[in-house]
Amino acid sequence: MKNVPHWQWLMALYILLVAIPVYTAHVQLKKKLLANKTPLNILFYFVAVVATAFVMNFIAMLVYYKFIFPNHK
């Protein structure tokens, strides 16, 4: 990690923009899944959690590379 520029900011950003939203989605979808455990709801749970992680990871990396670690010419 010492070779990653501003790694402390990256970790803080990742926790705020990825870990917390994915955990929140997991908790909310798990409630729905436990209420009605069907194969479709299980599939929806996994797809929604993975999609949330993918989208939030994209946003976090976009913010990191655009604002915290911009390419200087």
Side-chain angles (χ1 to χ4, degrees), residues 8-55:
Q8 296 93 344
W9 283 107
L10 177 61
M11 289 296 101
L13 183 71
Y14 208 80
I15 288 170
L16 289 173
L17 291 181
V18 180
I20 293 173
V22 170
Y23 179 72
T24 304
H26 156 71
V27 169
Q28 295 300 319
L29 292 168
K30 188 175 175 184
K31 287 180 193 175
K32 181 178 179 180
L33 180 63
L34 291 176
N36 186 10
K37 203 170 199 174
T38 64
L40 188 59
N41 277 351
I42 294 170
L43 178 66
F44 176 70
Y45 167 81
F46 284 115
V47 169
V49 169
V50 169
T52 302
F54 183 77
V55 169

mmCIF file of all heavy atoms in Angstrom, residues 8-55:
data_model
loop_
_atom_site.group_PDB
_atom_site.id
_atom_site.type_symbol
_atom_site.label_atom_id
_atom_site.label_comp_id
_atom_site.label_asym_id
_atom_site.label_seq_id
_atom_site.Cartn_x
_atom_site.Cartn_y
_atom_site.Cartn_z
ATOM 1 N N GLN A 8 -4.419 6.480 2.134
ATOM 2 C CA GLN A 8 -5.348 6.722 3.244
ATOM 3 C C GLN A 8 -6.663 7.296 2.717
ATOM 4 O O GLN A 8 -7.742 6.907 3.175
ATOM 5 C CB GLN A 8 -4.737 7.689 4.274
ATOM 6 C CG GLN A 8 -3.519 7.153 4.961
ATOM 7 C CD GLN A 8 -2.219 7.539 4.285
ATOM 8 O OE1 GLN A 8 -2.200 7.971 3.141
ATOM 9 N NE2 GLN A 8 -1.110 7.370 4.991
ATOM 10 N N TRP A 9 -6.566 8.210 1.767
ATOM 11 C CA TRP A 9 -7.773 8.775 1.158
ATOM 12 C C TRP A 9 -8.527 7.708 0.374
ATOM 13 O O TRP A 9 -9.760 7.681 0.382
ATOM 14 C CB TRP A 9 -7.419 9.948 0.239
ATOM 15 C CG TRP A 9 -7.118 11.194 0.991
ATOM 16 C CD1 TRP A 9 -5.903 11.752 1.175
ATOM 17 C CD2 TRP A 9 -8.056 12.025 1.680
ATOM 18 N NE1 TRP A 9 -6.028 12.895 1.936
ATOM 19 C CE2 TRP A 9 -7.329 13.086 2.253
ATOM 20 C CE3 TRP A 9 -9.435 11.982 1.860
ATOM 21 C CZ2 TRP A 9 -7.941 14.090 2.995
ATOM 22 C CZ3 TRP A 9 -10.051 12.976 2.598
ATOM 23 C CH2 TRP A 9 -9.306 14.012 3.161
ATOM 24 N N LEU A 10 -7.792 6.853 -0.306
ATOM 25 C CA LEU A 10 -8.434 5.781 -1.067
ATOM 26 C C LEU A 10 -9.214 4.851 -0.145
ATOM 27 O O LEU A 10 -10.349 4.477 -0.440
ATOM 28 C CB LEU A 10 -7.391 4.993 -1.866
ATOM 29 C CG LEU A 10 -7.913 3.798 -2.649
ATOM 30 C CD1 LEU A 10 -8.940 4.235 -3.689
ATOM 31 C CD2 LEU A 10 -6.764 3.055 -3.306
ATOM 32 N N MET A 11 -8.636 4.481 0.990
ATOM 33 C CA MET A 11 -9.322 3.594 1.931
ATOM 34 C C MET A 11 -10.555 4.269 2.525
ATOM 35 O O MET A 11 -11.619 3.648 2.638
ATOM 36 C CB MET A 11 -8.377 3.159 3.055
ATOM 37 C CG MET A 11 -7.308 2.199 2.622
ATOM 38 S SD MET A 11 -7.969 0.615 2.063
ATOM 39 C CE MET A 11 -7.885 0.784 0.308
ATOM 40 N N ALA A 12 -10.433 5.527 2.885
ATOM 41 C CA ALA A 12 -11.583 6.260 3.434
ATOM 42 C C ALA A 12 -12.694 6.375 2.392
ATOM 43 O O ALA A 12 -13.872 6.147 2.700
ATOM 44 C CB ALA A 12 -11.143 7.645 3.901
ATOM 45 N N LEU A 13 -12.302 6.703 1.167
ATOM 46 C CA LEU A 13 -13.269 6.809 0.078
ATOM 47 C C LEU A 13 -13.941 5.473 -0.194
ATOM 48 O O LEU A 13 -15.160 5.404 -0.386
ATOM 49 C CB LEU A 13 -12.550 7.323 -1.171
ATOM 50 C CG LEU A 13 -13.376 7.585 -2.404
ATOM 51 C CD1 LEU A 13 -14.243 8.815 -2.169
ATOM 52 C CD2 LEU A 13 -12.472 7.806 -3.598
ATOM 53 N N TYR A 14 -13.158 4.407 -0.190
ATOM 54 C CA TYR A 14 -13.696 3.080 -0.470
ATOM 55 C C TYR A 14 -14.667 2.624 0.616
ATOM 56 O O TYR A 14 -15.714 2.049 0.329
ATOM 57 C CB TYR A 14 -12.552 2.070 -0.618
ATOM 58 C CG TYR A 14 -12.894 0.927 -1.502
ATOM 59 C CD1 TYR A 14 -12.834 1.064 -2.885
ATOM 60 C CD2 TYR A 14 -13.302 -0.301 -0.988
ATOM 61 C CE1 TYR A 14 -13.151 0.023 -3.724
ATOM 62 C CE2 TYR A 14 -13.625 -1.346 -1.814
ATOM 63 C CZ TYR A 14 -13.547 -1.184 -3.177
ATOM 64 O OH TYR A 14 -13.884 -2.224 -4.004
ATOM 65 N N ILE A 15 -14.335 2.918 1.859
ATOM 66 C CA ILE A 15 -15.237 2.553 2.957
ATOM 67 C C ILE A 15 -16.549 3.323 2.852
ATOM 68 O O ILE A 15 -17.635 2.747 2.990
ATOM 69 C CB ILE A 15 -14.555 2.775 4.321
ATOM 70 C CG1 ILE A 15 -13.474 1.714 4.533
ATOM 71 C CG2 ILE A 15 -15.568 2.736 5.460
ATOM 72 C CD1 ILE A 15 -12.572 1.963 5.707
ATOM 73 N N LEU A 16 -16.447 4.627 2.576
ATOM 74 C CA LEU A 16 -17.651 5.448 2.498
ATOM 75 C C LEU A 16 -18.502 5.161 1.267
ATOM 76 O O LEU A 16 -19.732 5.143 1.350
ATOM 77 C CB LEU A 16 -17.285 6.932 2.515
ATOM 78 C CG LEU A 16 -16.769 7.463 3.838
ATOM 79 C CD1 LEU A 16 -16.292 8.895 3.671
ATOM 80 C CD2 LEU A 16 -17.838 7.375 4.905
ATOM 81 N N LEU A 17 -17.859 4.954 0.119
ATOM 82 C CA LEU A 17 -18.617 4.818 -1.120
ATOM 83 C C LEU A 17 -18.893 3.385 -1.548
ATOM 84 O O LEU A 17 -19.737 3.165 -2.415
ATOM 85 C CB LEU A 17 -17.891 5.546 -2.256
ATOM 86 C CG LEU A 17 -17.862 7.058 -2.165
ATOM 87 C CD1 LEU A 17 -17.146 7.652 -3.362
ATOM 88 C CD2 LEU A 17 -19.264 7.622 -2.066
ATOM 89 N N VAL A 18 -18.191 2.417 -0.980
ATOM 90 C CA VAL A 18 -18.416 1.036 -1.402
ATOM 91 C C VAL A 18 -18.875 0.162 -0.241
ATOM 92 O O VAL A 18 -19.926 -0.471 -0.314
ATOM 93 C CB VAL A 18 -17.156 0.436 -2.073
ATOM 94 C CG1 VAL A 18 -17.409 -0.996 -2.500
ATOM 95 C CG2 VAL A 18 -16.729 1.272 -3.257
ATOM 96 N N ALA A 19 -18.105 0.124 0.827
ATOM 97 C CA ALA A 19 -18.402 -0.815 1.916
ATOM 98 C C ALA A 19 -19.753 -0.530 2.582
ATOM 99 O O ALA A 19 -20.551 -1.452 2.783
ATOM 100 C CB ALA A 19 -17.285 -0.779 2.946
ATOM 101 N N ILE A 20 -20.007 0.714 2.908
ATOM 102 C CA ILE A 20 -21.261 1.043 3.597
ATOM 103 C C ILE A 20 -22.485 0.816 2.704
ATOM 104 O O ILE A 20 -23.448 0.181 3.145
ATOM 105 C CB ILE A 20 -21.197 2.478 4.169
ATOM 106 C CG1 ILE A 20 -20.150 2.522 5.288
ATOM 107 C CG2 ILE A 20 -22.558 2.934 4.666
ATOM 108 C CD1 ILE A 20 -19.865 3.901 5.827
ATOM 109 N N PRO A 21 -22.493 1.285 1.438
ATOM 110 C CA PRO A 21 -23.666 1.002 0.591
ATOM 111 C C PRO A 21 -23.880 -0.488 0.314
ATOM 112 O O PRO A 21 -25.025 -0.951 0.290
ATOM 113 C CB PRO A 21 -23.373 1.751 -0.705
ATOM 114 C CG PRO A 21 -22.454 2.834 -0.324
ATOM 115 C CD PRO A 21 -21.608 2.268 0.772
ATOM 116 N N VAL A 22 -22.807 -1.249 0.126
ATOM 117 C CA VAL A 22 -22.970 -2.685 -0.123
ATOM 118 C C VAL A 22 -23.501 -3.385 1.125
ATOM 119 O O VAL A 22 -24.388 -4.242 1.036
ATOM 120 C CB VAL A 22 -21.646 -3.315 -0.602
ATOM 121 C CG1 VAL A 22 -21.732 -4.833 -0.626
ATOM 122 C CG2 VAL A 22 -21.283 -2.792 -1.976
ATOM 123 N N TYR A 23 -23.004 -3.007 2.282
ATOM 124 C CA TYR A 23 -23.511 -3.598 3.520
ATOM 125 C C TYR A 23 -24.979 -3.235 3.735
ATOM 126 O O TYR A 23 -25.790 -4.084 4.128
ATOM 127 C CB TYR A 23 -22.672 -3.145 4.720
ATOM 128 C CG TYR A 23 -23.169 -3.719 6.017
ATOM 129 C CD1 TYR A 23 -22.985 -5.060 6.314
ATOM 130 C CD2 TYR A 23 -23.857 -2.932 6.935
ATOM 131 C CE1 TYR A 23 -23.457 -5.593 7.498
ATOM 132 C CE2 TYR A 23 -24.330 -3.454 8.108
ATOM 133 C CZ TYR A 23 -24.128 -4.789 8.391
ATOM 134 O OH TYR A 23 -24.611 -5.323 9.556
ATOM 135 N N THR A 24 -25.343 -1.990 3.457
ATOM 136 C CA THR A 24 -26.737 -1.555 3.591
ATOM 137 C C THR A 24 -27.640 -2.332 2.636
ATOM 138 O O THR A 24 -28.724 -2.786 3.028
ATOM 139 C CB THR A 24 -26.851 -0.046 3.321
ATOM 140 O OG1 THR A 24 -25.967 0.639 4.208
ATOM 141 C CG2 THR A 24 -28.262 0.441 3.523
ATOM 142 N N ALA A 25 -27.194 -2.489 1.390
ATOM 143 C CA ALA A 25 -27.976 -3.277 0.427
ATOM 144 C C ALA A 25 -28.107 -4.720 0.892
ATOM 145 O O ALA A 25 -29.182 -5.312 0.794
ATOM 146 C CB ALA A 25 -27.316 -3.226 -0.947
ATOM 147 N N HIS A 26 -27.037 -5.279 1.423
ATOM 148 C CA HIS A 26 -27.064 -6.656 1.926
ATOM 149 C C HIS A 26 -28.096 -6.809 3.048
ATOM 150 O O HIS A 26 -28.895 -7.747 3.030
ATOM 151 C CB HIS A 26 -25.671 -7.048 2.427
ATOM 152 C CG HIS A 26 -25.658 -8.144 3.429
ATOM 153 N ND1 HIS A 26 -25.943 -9.454 3.103
ATOM 154 C CD2 HIS A 26 -25.414 -8.137 4.760
ATOM 155 C CE1 HIS A 26 -25.860 -10.198 4.200
ATOM 156 N NE2 HIS A 26 -25.544 -9.419 5.209
ATOM 157 N N VAL A 27 -28.095 -5.886 3.990
ATOM 158 C CA VAL A 27 -29.019 -5.976 5.132
ATOM 159 C C VAL A 27 -30.469 -5.855 4.667
ATOM 160 O O VAL A 27 -31.329 -6.642 5.074
ATOM 161 C CB VAL A 27 -28.674 -4.898 6.187
ATOM 162 C CG1 VAL A 27 -29.764 -4.788 7.234
ATOM 163 C CG2 VAL A 27 -27.341 -5.223 6.839
ATOM 164 N N GLN A 28 -30.740 -4.874 3.810
ATOM 165 C CA GLN A 28 -32.115 -4.666 3.348
ATOM 166 C C GLN A 28 -32.613 -5.828 2.492
ATOM 167 O O GLN A 28 -33.756 -6.272 2.626
ATOM 168 C CB GLN A 28 -32.209 -3.354 2.563
ATOM 169 C CG GLN A 28 -31.932 -2.128 3.389
ATOM 170 C CD GLN A 28 -32.894 -1.984 4.549
ATOM 171 O OE1 GLN A 28 -34.091 -2.220 4.434
ATOM 172 N NE2 GLN A 28 -32.362 -1.596 5.697
ATOM 173 N N LEU A 29 -31.756 -6.311 1.599
ATOM 174 C CA LEU A 29 -32.168 -7.422 0.730
ATOM 175 C C LEU A 29 -32.271 -8.728 1.501
ATOM 176 O O LEU A 29 -33.075 -9.592 1.157
ATOM 177 C CB LEU A 29 -31.198 -7.554 -0.440
ATOM 178 C CG LEU A 29 -31.257 -6.402 -1.436
ATOM 179 C CD1 LEU A 29 -30.077 -6.455 -2.378
ATOM 180 C CD2 LEU A 29 -32.563 -6.422 -2.201
ATOM 181 N N LYS A 30 -31.462 -8.888 2.539
ATOM 182 C CA LYS A 30 -31.541 -10.098 3.358
ATOM 183 C C LYS A 30 -32.881 -10.167 4.091
ATOM 184 O O LYS A 30 -33.467 -11.240 4.217
ATOM 185 C CB LYS A 30 -30.390 -10.126 4.360
ATOM 186 C CG LYS A 30 -30.274 -11.415 5.116
ATOM 187 C CD LYS A 30 -29.042 -11.393 5.998
ATOM 188 C CE LYS A 30 -28.979 -12.636 6.840
ATOM 189 N NZ LYS A 30 -27.846 -12.590 7.773
ATOM 190 N N LYS A 31 -33.378 -9.017 4.539
ATOM 191 C CA LYS A 31 -34.701 -8.985 5.176
ATOM 192 C C LYS A 31 -35.768 -9.479 4.202
ATOM 193 O O LYS A 31 -36.626 -10.282 4.556
ATOM 194 C CB LYS A 31 -35.052 -7.564 5.624
ATOM 195 C CG LYS A 31 -34.315 -7.077 6.815
ATOM 196 C CD LYS A 31 -34.771 -5.663 7.153
ATOM 197 C CE LYS A 31 -33.861 -4.989 8.128
ATOM 198 N NZ LYS A 31 -34.231 -3.595 8.366
ATOM 199 N N LYS A 32 -35.700 -8.995 2.959
ATOM 200 C CA LYS A 32 -36.668 -9.412 1.947
ATOM 201 C C LYS A 32 -36.508 -10.895 1.623
ATOM 202 O O LYS A 32 -37.495 -11.619 1.450
ATOM 203 C CB LYS A 32 -36.487 -8.577 0.685
ATOM 204 C CG LYS A 32 -37.459 -8.916 -0.409
ATOM 205 C CD LYS A 32 -37.288 -8.043 -1.620
ATOM 206 C CE LYS A 32 -38.291 -8.474 -2.675
ATOM 207 N NZ LYS A 32 -38.199 -7.679 -3.876
ATOM 208 N N LEU A 33 -35.265 -11.346 1.553
ATOM 209 C CA LEU A 33 -34.993 -12.749 1.238
ATOM 210 C C LEU A 33 -35.500 -13.669 2.344
ATOM 211 O O LEU A 33 -36.087 -14.720 2.061
ATOM 212 C CB LEU A 33 -33.490 -12.959 1.026
ATOM 213 C CG LEU A 33 -33.033 -14.375 0.698
ATOM 214 C CD1 LEU A 33 -33.632 -14.829 -0.628
ATOM 215 C CD2 LEU A 33 -31.521 -14.438 0.652
ATOM 216 N N LEU A 34 -35.310 -13.297 3.588
ATOM 217 C CA LEU A 34 -35.763 -14.147 4.695
ATOM 218 C C LEU A 34 -37.283 -14.176 4.802
ATOM 219 O O LEU A 34 -37.851 -15.150 5.292
ATOM 220 C CB LEU A 34 -35.139 -13.670 6.005
ATOM 221 C CG LEU A 34 -33.627 -13.897 6.121
ATOM 222 C CD1 LEU A 34 -33.100 -13.298 7.415
ATOM 223 C CD2 LEU A 34 -33.278 -15.365 6.021
ATOM 224 N N ALA A 35 -37.941 -13.111 4.343
ATOM 225 C CA ALA A 35 -39.402 -13.074 4.383
ATOM 226 C C ALA A 35 -40.014 -14.012 3.347
ATOM 227 O O ALA A 35 -41.051 -14.627 3.593
ATOM 228 C CB ALA A 35 -39.902 -11.653 4.149
ATOM 229 N N ASN A 36 -39.359 -14.138 2.190
ATOM 230 C CA ASN A 36 -39.902 -14.974 1.118
ATOM 231 C C ASN A 36 -38.724 -15.588 0.363
ATOM 232 O O ASN A 36 -38.208 -15.001 -0.582
ATOM 233 C CB ASN A 36 -40.762 -14.120 0.179
ATOM 234 C CG ASN A 36 -41.458 -14.960 -0.847
ATOM 235 O OD1 ASN A 36 -41.459 -16.183 -0.778
ATOM 236 N ND2 ASN A 36 -42.056 -14.297 -1.826
ATOM 237 N N LYS A 37 -38.309 -16.783 0.794
ATOM 238 C CA LYS A 37 -37.127 -17.414 0.225
ATOM 239 C C LYS A 37 -37.503 -18.260 -0.985
ATOM 240 O O LYS A 37 -37.830 -19.435 -0.870
ATOM 241 C CB LYS A 37 -36.435 -18.269 1.285
ATOM 242 C CG LYS A 37 -34.996 -18.519 1.025
ATOM 243 C CD LYS A 37 -34.336 -19.155 2.232
ATOM 244 C CE LYS A 37 -32.856 -18.976 2.148
ATOM 245 N NZ LYS A 37 -32.177 -19.438 3.330
ATOM 246 N N THR A 38 -37.458 -17.620 -2.148
ATOM 247 C CA THR A 38 -37.710 -18.317 -3.404
ATOM 248 C C THR A 38 -36.434 -18.249 -4.247
ATOM 249 O O THR A 38 -35.569 -17.407 -3.991
ATOM 250 C CB THR A 38 -38.865 -17.656 -4.183
ATOM 251 O OG1 THR A 38 -38.477 -16.336 -4.540
ATOM 252 C CG2 THR A 38 -40.145 -17.616 -3.356
ATOM 253 N N PRO A 39 -36.294 -19.123 -5.220
ATOM 254 C CA PRO A 39 -35.096 -19.056 -6.081
ATOM 255 C C PRO A 39 -34.942 -17.697 -6.776
ATOM 256 O O PRO A 39 -33.830 -17.209 -6.942
ATOM 257 C CB PRO A 39 -35.315 -20.165 -7.101
ATOM 258 C CG PRO A 39 -36.203 -21.140 -6.410
ATOM 259 C CD PRO A 39 -37.099 -20.312 -5.526
ATOM 260 N N LEU A 40 -36.051 -17.092 -7.156
ATOM 261 C CA LEU A 40 -35.980 -15.779 -7.800
ATOM 262 C C LEU A 40 -35.478 -14.708 -6.833
ATOM 263 O O LEU A 40 -34.663 -13.855 -7.207
ATOM 264 C CB LEU A 40 -37.348 -15.389 -8.355
ATOM 265 C CG LEU A 40 -37.382 -14.126 -9.208
ATOM 266 C CD1 LEU A 40 -36.456 -14.285 -10.410
ATOM 267 C CD2 LEU A 40 -38.788 -13.839 -9.652
ATOM 268 N N ASN A 41 -35.931 -14.749 -5.591
ATOM 269 C CA ASN A 41 -35.459 -13.782 -4.592
ATOM 270 C C ASN A 41 -33.990 -14.010 -4.246
ATOM 271 O O ASN A 41 -33.261 -13.049 -3.996
ATOM 272 C CB ASN A 41 -36.311 -13.830 -3.331
ATOM 273 C CG ASN A 41 -37.564 -13.015 -3.465
ATOM 274 O OD1 ASN A 41 -37.736 -12.284 -4.430
ATOM 275 N ND2 ASN A 41 -38.462 -13.151 -2.504
ATOM 276 N N ILE A 42 -33.537 -15.259 -4.220
ATOM 277 C CA ILE A 42 -32.123 -15.549 -3.972
ATOM 278 C C ILE A 42 -31.272 -14.983 -5.103
ATOM 279 O O ILE A 42 -30.249 -14.340 -4.867
ATOM 280 C CB ILE A 42 -31.898 -17.067 -3.807
ATOM 281 C CG1 ILE A 42 -32.588 -17.565 -2.539
ATOM 282 C CG2 ILE A 42 -30.407 -17.397 -3.769
ATOM 283 C CD1 ILE A 42 -32.620 -19.077 -2.406
ATOM 284 N N LEU A 43 -31.715 -15.196 -6.337
ATOM 285 C CA LEU A 43 -31.007 -14.655 -7.488
ATOM 286 C C LEU A 43 -31.006 -13.125 -7.452
ATOM 287 O O LEU A 43 -29.968 -12.494 -7.698
ATOM 288 C CB LEU A 43 -31.649 -15.152 -8.784
ATOM 289 C CG LEU A 43 -31.031 -14.632 -10.076
ATOM 290 C CD1 LEU A 43 -29.607 -15.156 -10.224
ATOM 291 C CD2 LEU A 43 -31.883 -15.041 -11.261
ATOM 292 N N PHE A 44 -32.139 -12.533 -7.128
ATOM 293 C CA PHE A 44 -32.235 -11.079 -7.029
ATOM 294 C C PHE A 44 -31.287 -10.541 -5.969
ATOM 295 O O PHE A 44 -30.621 -9.518 -6.180
ATOM 296 C CB PHE A 44 -33.675 -10.657 -6.704
ATOM 297 C CG PHE A 44 -33.833 -9.182 -6.495
ATOM 298 C CD1 PHE A 44 -33.719 -8.304 -7.561
ATOM 299 C CD2 PHE A 44 -34.076 -8.669 -5.233
ATOM 300 C CE1 PHE A 44 -33.853 -6.929 -7.365
ATOM 301 C CE2 PHE A 44 -34.208 -7.318 -5.030
ATOM 302 C CZ PHE A 44 -34.098 -6.440 -6.092
ATOM 303 N N TYR A 45 -31.193 -11.217 -4.847
ATOM 304 C CA TYR A 45 -30.294 -10.804 -3.767
ATOM 305 C C TYR A 45 -28.843 -10.754 -4.266
ATOM 306 O O TYR A 45 -28.157 -9.746 -4.114
ATOM 307 C CB TYR A 45 -30.428 -11.764 -2.581
ATOM 308 C CG TYR A 45 -29.341 -11.602 -1.557
ATOM 309 C CD1 TYR A 45 -29.402 -10.593 -0.607
ATOM 310 C CD2 TYR A 45 -28.234 -12.445 -1.546
ATOM 311 C CE1 TYR A 45 -28.401 -10.435 0.332
ATOM 312 C CE2 TYR A 45 -27.234 -12.294 -0.614
ATOM 313 C CZ TYR A 45 -27.316 -11.289 0.324
ATOM 314 O OH TYR A 45 -26.320 -11.125 1.249
ATOM 315 N N PHE A 46 -28.384 -11.849 -4.861
ATOM 316 C CA PHE A 46 -26.997 -11.903 -5.318
ATOM 317 C C PHE A 46 -26.717 -10.900 -6.437
ATOM 318 O O PHE A 46 -25.691 -10.216 -6.425
ATOM 319 C CB PHE A 46 -26.628 -13.317 -5.761
ATOM 320 C CG PHE A 46 -26.406 -14.248 -4.613
ATOM 321 C CD1 PHE A 46 -27.239 -15.326 -4.418
ATOM 322 C CD2 PHE A 46 -25.362 -14.047 -3.721
ATOM 323 C CE1 PHE A 46 -27.042 -16.182 -3.347
ATOM 324 C CE2 PHE A 46 -25.150 -14.887 -2.654
ATOM 325 C CZ PHE A 46 -25.991 -15.969 -2.463
ATOM 326 N N VAL A 47 -27.611 -10.784 -7.386
ATOM 327 C CA VAL A 47 -27.417 -9.837 -8.487
ATOM 328 C C VAL A 47 -27.422 -8.406 -7.969
ATOM 329 O O VAL A 47 -26.588 -7.589 -8.383
ATOM 330 C CB VAL A 47 -28.495 -10.048 -9.577
ATOM 331 C CG1 VAL A 47 -28.486 -8.916 -10.586
ATOM 332 C CG2 VAL A 47 -28.291 -11.387 -10.261
ATOM 333 N N ALA A 48 -28.306 -8.085 -7.070
ATOM 334 C CA ALA A 48 -28.395 -6.718 -6.545
ATOM 335 C C ALA A 48 -27.165 -6.350 -5.715
ATOM 336 O O ALA A 48 -26.645 -5.233 -5.839
ATOM 337 C CB ALA A 48 -29.658 -6.553 -5.713
ATOM 338 N N VAL A 49 -26.678 -7.266 -4.897
ATOM 339 C CA VAL A 49 -25.490 -6.971 -4.086
ATOM 340 C C VAL A 49 -24.258 -6.806 -4.983
ATOM 341 O O VAL A 49 -23.469 -5.876 -4.810
ATOM 342 C CB VAL A 49 -25.268 -8.055 -3.004
ATOM 343 C CG1 VAL A 49 -23.913 -7.900 -2.340
ATOM 344 C CG2 VAL A 49 -26.366 -7.983 -1.954
ATOM 345 N N VAL A 50 -24.102 -7.685 -5.963
ATOM 346 C CA VAL A 50 -22.964 -7.584 -6.880
ATOM 347 C C VAL A 50 -23.069 -6.314 -7.732
ATOM 348 O O VAL A 50 -22.064 -5.622 -7.943
ATOM 349 C CB VAL A 50 -22.855 -8.845 -7.762
ATOM 350 C CG1 VAL A 50 -21.864 -8.655 -8.885
ATOM 351 C CG2 VAL A 50 -22.478 -10.052 -6.915
ATOM 352 N N ALA A 51 -24.252 -5.992 -8.199
ATOM 353 C CA ALA A 51 -24.438 -4.768 -8.997
ATOM 354 C C ALA A 51 -24.149 -3.522 -8.164
ATOM 355 O O ALA A 51 -23.510 -2.577 -8.656
ATOM 356 C CB ALA A 51 -25.854 -4.715 -9.559
ATOM 357 N N THR A 52 -24.585 -3.519 -6.924
ATOM 358 C CA THR A 52 -24.294 -2.392 -6.037
ATOM 359 C C THR A 52 -22.791 -2.243 -5.841
ATOM 360 O O THR A 52 -22.252 -1.142 -5.926
ATOM 361 C CB THR A 52 -24.985 -2.576 -4.668
ATOM 362 O OG1 THR A 52 -26.387 -2.716 -4.867
ATOM 363 C CG2 THR A 52 -24.709 -1.401 -3.747
ATOM 364 N N ALA A 53 -22.114 -3.354 -5.600
ATOM 365 C CA ALA A 53 -20.661 -3.311 -5.419
ATOM 366 C C ALA A 53 -19.967 -2.821 -6.687
ATOM 367 O O ALA A 53 -19.042 -1.997 -6.623
ATOM 368 C CB ALA A 53 -20.144 -4.690 -5.036
ATOM 369 N N PHE A 54 -20.397 -3.301 -7.843
ATOM 370 C CA PHE A 54 -19.775 -2.915 -9.108
ATOM 371 C C PHE A 54 -19.961 -1.421 -9.386
ATOM 372 O O PHE A 54 -18.996 -0.717 -9.706
ATOM 373 C CB PHE A 54 -20.369 -3.737 -10.253
ATOM 374 C CG PHE A 54 -19.747 -3.466 -11.579
ATOM 375 C CD1 PHE A 54 -18.515 -3.994 -11.908
ATOM 376 C CD2 PHE A 54 -20.395 -2.669 -12.500
ATOM 377 C CE1 PHE A 54 -17.933 -3.736 -13.130
ATOM 378 C CE2 PHE A 54 -19.829 -2.398 -13.731
ATOM 379 C CZ PHE A 54 -18.593 -2.936 -14.045
ATOM 380 N N VAL A 55 -21.174 -0.939 -9.240
ATOM 381 C CA VAL A 55 -21.462 0.474 -9.520
ATOM 382 C C VAL A 55 -20.753 1.384 -8.518
ATOM 383 O O VAL A 55 -20.136 2.389 -8.908
ATOM 384 C CB VAL A 55 -22.990 0.732 -9.520
ATOM 385 C CG1 VAL A 55 -23.306 2.208 -9.535
ATOM 386 C CG2 VAL A 55 -23.630 0.032 -10.701
#
